[in-house]
Amino acid sequence: SQASDAENLPILGIQMKLKPSSPRKVKTDEGVDDEQSLSSACEICGREFFGKYRNVMSKRHYRSVHLKVQKYECDFCKAKFIHSSQRLRHYRKCSLRAQSIIDHESSLKAQSMI
């Protein structure tokens, strides 16, 4: 429905309108897939989103690209990240995390010796 494409996105007090762009026809084995025939475009940069989850993806794009919302935080050093995948990559090399693991293993060894 094109009406839902033009919904307001109230994020941090900023209004963003998704404007429907020209229909994109996606061919499947059975013909044209209606779920993916509509698209939404970001009014700020013009990036288009297609398919069933276009509204969800456009909201995510707006928050992460234009607002730079960093909602993922490292549990050890409190560094913040836009995407969970960035936090996961950080976890692999976080020095405070490594020290925490070493401290935990040391305390387990100390408890087992008692």
Side-chain angles (χ1 to χ4, degrees):
S1 71
Q2 289 188 330
S4 66
D5 290 340
E7 68 181 324
N8 286 328
L9 299 176
I11 300 172
L12 297 179
I14 298 172
Q15 293 289 322
M16 177 187 143
K17 281 192 178 260
L18 296 177
K19 59 181 178 184
S21 59
S22 58
R24 175 180 173 229
K25 298 194 183 218
V26 178
K27 294 230 175 190
T28 62
D29 293 300
E30 297 82 32
V32 177
D33 185 357
D34 289 334
E35 285 291 328
Q36 294 186 0
S37 63
L38 298 175
S39 65
S40 296
C42 175
E43 284 191 352
I44 296 170
C45 67
R47 180 167 179 185
E48 288 190 293
F49 301 91
F50 302 97
K52 185 177 178 179
Y53 300 105
R54 65 187 175 277
N55 290 331
V56 173
M57 295 307 292
S58 60
K59 289 176 188 177
R60 182 178 181 196
H61 160 79
Y62 182 68
R63 280 193 304 266
S64 65
V65 173
H66 300 299
L67 295 181
K68 305 273 190 235
V69 173
Q70 297 177 325
K71 68 178 194 176
Y72 299 97
E73 185 177 282
C74 175
D75 297 329
F76 302 98
C77 71
K78 304 303 178 199
K80 293 186 177 188
F81 305 94
I82 293 172
H83 299 287
S84 61
S85 61
Q86 294 171 324
R87 179 179 61 180
L88 182 61
R89 182 179 23 191
H90 168 79
Y91 274 158
R92 294 184 187 127
K93 54 187 173 180
C94 181
S95 59
L96 293 177
R97 177 182 177 267
Q99 187 60 47
S100 174
I101 291 170
I102 291 168
D103 292 345
H104 180 69
E105 289 175 350
S106 313
S107 68
L108 289 177
K109 285 181 185 177
Q111 287 177 359
S112 66
M113 295 183 151
I114 295 177

